[in-house]
C-alpha cells in the first residue's frame, strides 16, 4: 500500500466519519486557538525549569476539534518527516492519546523533542488551511508534544516494530537529530545500526545546545531509550576520523555509513579584542552549562557568570544564550543584533519569552571592538549603529553602517552567537568526499548520497546550521535511499568488502 492509500484508508475509518459528523466545519473553525500555559517570567528568569508547561487533556481535545480532517491535508506538505497529522490529531479528539503517539512514532523518532523545539510556525502550521480562512493555524506542535508526553508519563511506551534482522551492519557518525532519525528508520527495516558519538552524551545539539528550560535532557533520553530498545547500539566518546577511521569502519564490516556530524564549529567576527577574557562562543558557553554542569557551585569547570552580558546574534542560539545568562544572574542581559527584530531568525516564541524575562534588545547595532582592562578582561564594547538597506541574497534587508554613529557600552562578558560552520574532521579524513567552500558535504539532493559509494550524509553537515526537523527529514530520506540501494543491488555498498 502506498503512503497516500494508507492515509486514505485511515481517513475512511468509521470513527473518523463519526467525528466529522459530530461538528460542522464552521463550528470547528470558530474555536479559538489554545494558548500554551507557561511559568511566570519572574519565576522562570531565575529557574532552569521548563518554561512551557504543556496542554491538559481537555485543552488538547478541544484544540484537536479545530482540525478539519482535510481530505488533502496541506499541513503534511510542511512536515519534513511526513507525520500523518490529521490522523494523530483526530485520535486526540476521540481521546485515544496512545494511538496518537503511535501515529507520531510511525515517522518521527523524536516527537516529544519536535513538539517542543520544531519551528512549526514555519513548517506544518504555515500550511494549515485555517490560515487561508484568516484564522490561526491548528496548534499542531502543542498537540504533538501533548501526545508524546502523555505516552511517556503513562509509562506505557510503545516501541515501534522492527523487521526481522537482516544481518547488514550500518554505521552512523553523530547522534544528533539527523543520526537518530536515520538510525530509527534503519532499525525498523531490520538493519544492525551502530551510532558513533564524539561526546560522552547522546543527542547532539538537543543535549549540549538547547537548554533545559526549553528541552529537558530527560525528555531526549526517553526517546533515545526507545531507539536502544529497537536495537540501535551507541558508542560514545568515539571521534570518527580520530579514534576510529573510515578504514576501521570498513574492516568492521559496515556496509553503509551515514554522516550526521553537524555544524558545531563556532564563527567569530575577527574584530579587535575577541580574545579577551570574558569573550566566548555560544557553543562553548551552552555546552559547558548544559553538558558539564558548569553553572553548579561545585563544578570542576565553572563558567564565568557575568552581570552585564552581551550576546551577539539574533538566532535561537543567541536567545538560548541570553536567557541562560539571565538565569545565571546577569542583571543586564543584552541581545546585540545588526538588523532589526523583523529579520531575526530566532523563533517568535523565543523572542517573546526573552523579552518577558527582561532581556534588553539592542537591534541595529554591530560590535566593532572589545576593550579590556589591565588584566586582559573585557570591560567594554564599541558598537556601530546600523540602518536597513536593500534586501540581500537571504531576502532580508541588508544592515548598513550609519557613518560616524557609534556607542560604547559597559559589559563584563560577551557571547558570540553569529552562526556555525560544519565540523571539519570528517570532510578532511574521509578522502574522496566532495566538499563545498563552506565545508559542507555535497550530496545528491534526492538520495543524500555522497561521491563515495557507501557514504550518505544529512543534517547540518550538509546544510550548515539549520533545524532539528530538517535534520530529521534528511535522516529519513537517506535511510530510504540507502535501503533502496542495498535492497535493489543486493550487493554491499563498499567495493571489495
Ligand atoms: P547535531 O545536532 O550537531 O549533532 C551532530 C553530532 O555529531 C554531535 O553530537 C557531535 O558531537 C557529533 N560528531 C561530530 N563529529 C563527530 C565525529 N567525527 N565522530 C563522532 N561524532 C561526531 N533547531 C530547531 O529546529 N529548533 C530550535 O529551537 C533550535 N534551537 C537551537 C539552539 C541551539 C543552541 C543550537 C546550537 C541549535 C539550535 N537549533 C534549533 C538547530 C538544530 O539543533 C540543528 O540544526 C540540529 O541539531 C542539527 O542536527 P544534526 O544531527 O545535523 O547535528
Ligand atoms: Fe487539520 Fe490544518 Fe492539517 Fe487541515 S491543514 S488537516 S485543518 S491541521
Amino acid at each position: 500500500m502506498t503512503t497516500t492509500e494508507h492515509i486514505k484508508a485511515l481517513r475512511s475509518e468509521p470513527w473518523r466519519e463519526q467525528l466529522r459528523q459530530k461538528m460542522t466545519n464552521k463550528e470547528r473553525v470558530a474555536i479559538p486557538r489554545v494558548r500554551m500555559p507557561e511559568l511566570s517570567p519572574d519565576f522562570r528568569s531565575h529557574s532552569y525549569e521548563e518554561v512551557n508547561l504543556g496542554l491538559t487533556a481537555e485543552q488538547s481535545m478541544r484544540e484537536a476539534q479545530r482540525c478539519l480532517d482535510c481530505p488533502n491535508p496541506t499541513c503534511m506538505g510542511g512536515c519534513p518527516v511526513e507525520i500523518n497529522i490529521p490522523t494523530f490529531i483526530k485520535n486526540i479528539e476521540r481521546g485515544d492519546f496512545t494511538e496518537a503517539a503511535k501515529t507520531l512514532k510511525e515517522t518521527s523518532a523524536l516527537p516529544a523533542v519536535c513538539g517542543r523545539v520544531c519551528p512549526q510556525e514555519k513548517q506544518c502550521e504555515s500550511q494549515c488551511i485555517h490560515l487561508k480562512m484568516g484564522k490561526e493555524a491548528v496548534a499542531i506542535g502543542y498537540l504533538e508534544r501533548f501526545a508524546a508526553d502523555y505516552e511517556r508519563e503513562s509509562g506505557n511506551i510503545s516501541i515501534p516494530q522492527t523487521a526481522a534482522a537482516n544481518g547488514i551492519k550500518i554505521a552512523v557518525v553523530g547522534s544528533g537529530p539527523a543520526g537518530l532519525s536515520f538510525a530509527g528508520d534503519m532499525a525498523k527495516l531490520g538493519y544492525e545500526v551502530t551510532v558513533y558519538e564524539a561526546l560522552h552524551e547522546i543527542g547532539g545539539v538537543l543535549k549540549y545546545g538547547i537548554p533545559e528550560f526549553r528541552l529537558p535532557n530527560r525528555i531526549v533520553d526517553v526517546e533515545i531509550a526507545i531507539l536502544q530498545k529497537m536495537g540501535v547500539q551507541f558508542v560514545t566518546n568515539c571521534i570518527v576520523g580520530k579514534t576510529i577511521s573510515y578504514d576501521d569502519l570498513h574492516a568492521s564490516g559496515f556496509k553503509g555509513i551515514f554522516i550526521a556530524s553537524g555544524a558545531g564549529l563556532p564563527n567569530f567576527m575577527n574584530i579587535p579584542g575577541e580574545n579577551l577574557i570574558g569573550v566566548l562562543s555560544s557553543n562553548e558557553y551552552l555546552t559547558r552549562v548544559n553538558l558539564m554542569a558548569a553553572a553548579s557551585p561545585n563544578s570542576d569547570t565553572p563558567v564565568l557568570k557575568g552581570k552585564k552580558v552581551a550576546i551577539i546574534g539574533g538566532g535561537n542560539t543567541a536567545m538560548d544564550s541570553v536567557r541562560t545568562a539571565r538565569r545565571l544572574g546577569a542583571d543586564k542581559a543584552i541581545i546585540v543584533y545588526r538588523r532589526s527584530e523583523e529579520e531575526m531568525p530566532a523563533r517568535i516564541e523565543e523572542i517573546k519569552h526573552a523579552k518577558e524575562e527582561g532581556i534588553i534588545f539592542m537591534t541595529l547595532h554591530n560590535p566593532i571592538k572589545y576593550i579590556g582592562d589591565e588584566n586582559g578582561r573585557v570591560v567594554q564594547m564599541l558598537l556601530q549603529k546600523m540602518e536597513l538597506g536593500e534586501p540581500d541574497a537571504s531576502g532580508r534587508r541588508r544592515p548598513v553602517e550609519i557613518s560616524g554613529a557609534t556607542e560604547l557600552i559597559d559589559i563584563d562578558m560577551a557571547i558570540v552567537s553569529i552562526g556555525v560552520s560544519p565540523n571539519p574532521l570528517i570532510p578532511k579524513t574521509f578522502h574522496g568526499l566532495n566538499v563545498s567552500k563552506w565545508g559542507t558535504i555535497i550530496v545528491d539532493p534526492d538520495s543524500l548520497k555522497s561521491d563515495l559509494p557507501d557514504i550518505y550524509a544529512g543534517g547540518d553537515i550538509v546544510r550548515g546550521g539549520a533545524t532539528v526537523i530538517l535534520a530529521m527529514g534528511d535522516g529519513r530520506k537517506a535511510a530510504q535511499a540507502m535501503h533502496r540501494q542495498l535492497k535493489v543491488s543486493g550487493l554491499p555498498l563498499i567495493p571489495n568488502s
Side-chain angles (χ1 to χ4, degrees):
M1 200 188 275
T2 65
T3 312
T4 323
E5 285 164 349
H6 179 59
I7 291 171
K8 259 194 181 162
L10 286 172
R11 198 174 182 274
S12 60
E13 283 189 5
W15 65 267
R16 280 289 264 276
E17 187 51 43
Q18 279 165 18
L19 286 185
R20 278 195 285 273
Q21 282 171 7
K22 223 166 146 187
M23 270 178 115
T24 64
N25 278 355
K26 206 170 161 195
E27 287 167 329
R28 291 178 184 278
V29 170
I31 302 170
R33 179 176 158 124
V34 68
R35 299 284 161 233
M36 173 62 81
E38 51 192 41
L39 291 176
S40 80
D42 275 354
F43 174 80
R44 70 183 197 233
S45 53
H46 304 288
S47 150
Y48 254 74
E49 279 178 45
E50 195 178 3
V51 170
N52 284 346
L53 298 172
L55 303 183
T56 62
E58 292 71 29
Q59 285 173 317
S60 302
M61 288 167 80
R62 185 72 174 149
E63 182 63 20
Q65 286 180 334
R66 297 184 67 229
C67 171
L68 307 183
D69 202 4
C70 303
N72 172 24
T74 44
C75 52
M76 285 183 66
C79 176
V81 297
E82 297 173 315
I83 286 176
N84 190 338
I85 293 171
T87 299
F88 102 78
I89 293 182
K90 289 298 126 183
N91 272 306
I92 292 179
E93 183 179 339
R94 69 165 169 157
D96 194 341
F97 308 141
T98 307
E99 194 57 34
K102 245 191 216 164
T103 307
L104 289 169
K105 283 199 280 191
E106 276 170 17
T107 55
S108 171
L110 307 167
V113 169
C114 290
R116 285 171 166 79
V117 302
C118 178
Q120 296 100 8
E121 64 282 1
K122 291 185 187 151
Q123 304 279 171
C124 52
E125 292 182 15
S126 75
Q127 312 285 320
C128 175
I129 194 89
H130 279 241
L131 296 176
K132 291 214 172 93
M133 296 181 278
K135 301 285 179 185
E136 286 185 276
V138 172
I140 302 169
Y142 293 174
L143 293 175
E144 180 182 23
R145 171 186 164 147
F146 168 77
D149 284 0
Y150 175 87
E151 194 198 43
R152 189 186 59 256
E153 284 159 15
S154 72
N156 192 11
I157 300 176
S158 68
I159 309 297
Q161 273 196 340
T162 51
N166 61 22
I168 302 176
K169 288 174 71 176
I170 302 294
V172 182
V173 182
S175 68
L180 296 177
S181 165
F182 174 88
D185 275 10
M186 290 305 266
K188 280 182 193 164
L189 292 164
Y191 291 91
E192 200 180 303
V193 185
T194 306
V195 181
Y196 292 94
E197 170 53 55
L199 297 174
H200 61 286
E201 286 269 356
I202 306 164
V205 171
L206 306 178
K207 281 279 188 67
Y208 75 75
I210 305 181
E212 284 285 302
F213 57 82
R214 271 209 306 135
L215 176 62
N217 282 350
R218 67 187 157 79
I219 305 281
V220 186
D221 283 337
V222 171
E223 307 217 315
I224 291 166
I226 295 174
L227 291 172
Q228 284 170 322
K229 288 198 177 119
M230 289 162 67
V232 177
Q233 304 281 328
F234 290 94
V235 181
T236 52
N237 296 312
C238 181
I239 307 174
V240 177
K242 231 178 200 171
T243 322
I244 55 170
S245 68
Y246 185 28
D247 287 344
D248 294 334
L249 290 173
H250 287 185
S252 304
F254 289 104
K255 304 297 183 205
I257 303 169
F258 179 59
I259 308 288
S261 50
L265 197 65
N267 294 340
F268 282 94
M269 294 178 72
N270 295 322
I271 58 174
E274 241 175 0
N275 55 0
L276 286 166
I277 300 166
V279 182
L280 65 161
S281 72
S282 266
N283 272 53
E284 178 184 345
Y285 183 63
L286 291 172
T287 306
R288 289 176 67 180
V289 174
N290 295 338
L291 218 54
M292 297 161 74
S296 143
N298 308 321
S299 172
D300 292 336
T301 52
V303 75
L304 198 61
K305 292 178 187 164
K307 288 286 170 200
K308 287 173 276 181
V309 185
I311 283 79
I312 326 305
N316 285 322
T317 313
M319 294 306 145
D320 284 342
S321 304
V322 80
R323 295 174 71 199
T324 298
R326 182 92 174 114
R327 282 159 173 77
L328 292 186
D331 301 324
K332 271 190 171 179
I334 313 163
I335 282 284
V336 176
Y337 183 56
R338 63 190 182 136
R339 303 182 202 239
S340 77
E341 192 177 315
E342 209 173 301
E343 289 81 31
M344 278 189 176
R347 292 189 67 193
I348 293 166
E349 183 179 65
E350 304 319 321
I351 297 173
K352 172 183 163 282
H353 280 163
K355 284 186 172 169
E356 289 168 353
E357 289 164 13
I359 305 303
I360 301 162
F361 279 64
M362 287 186 82
T363 51
L364 292 169
H365 284 80
N366 199 29
I368 45 177
K369 185 179 177 182
Y370 297 102
I371 297 151
D373 64 9
E374 61 284 3
N375 300 316
R377 300 190 73 92
V378 69
V379 288
Q380 281 182 317
M381 175 178 174
L382 186 63
L383 300 171
Q384 169 69 56
K385 294 190 181 182
M386 315 292 283
E387 62 188 351
L388 291 179
E390 293 302 310
D392 63 13
S394 72
R396 295 179 300 171
R397 290 180 65 192
R398 191 189 302 274
V400 182
E401 289 179 9
I402 304 174
S403 176
T406 58
E407 187 175 345
L408 197 61
I409 63 167
D410 292 341
I411 54 169
D412 54 12
M413 195 170 171
I415 300 172
V416 184
S417 187
I418 55 160
V420 281
S421 298
N423 292 325
L425 189 63
I426 301 289
K428 264 191 201 151
T429 54
F430 279 42
H431 302 294
L433 279 180
N434 196 2
V435 178
S436 75
K437 64 176 176 182
W438 299 282
T440 50
I441 298 177
I442 298 175
V443 290
D444 170 73
D446 295 324
S447 64
L448 303 190
K449 191 175 176 190
S450 77
D451 280 3
L452 292 173
D454 56 330
I455 301 234
Y456 289 67
D460 282 4
I461 188 66
V462 166
R463 297 171 177 274
T467 63
V468 170
I469 197 69
L470 288 173
M472 288 178 64
D474 285 354
R476 298 209 71 212
K477 200 190 240 189
Q480 279 156 20
M482 193 186 279
H483 177 55
R484 230 176 4 251
Q485 176 162 346
L486 284 165
K487 216 175 75 176
V488 169
S489 69
L491 294 169
L493 283 171
I494 305 169
N496 310 321
S497 66

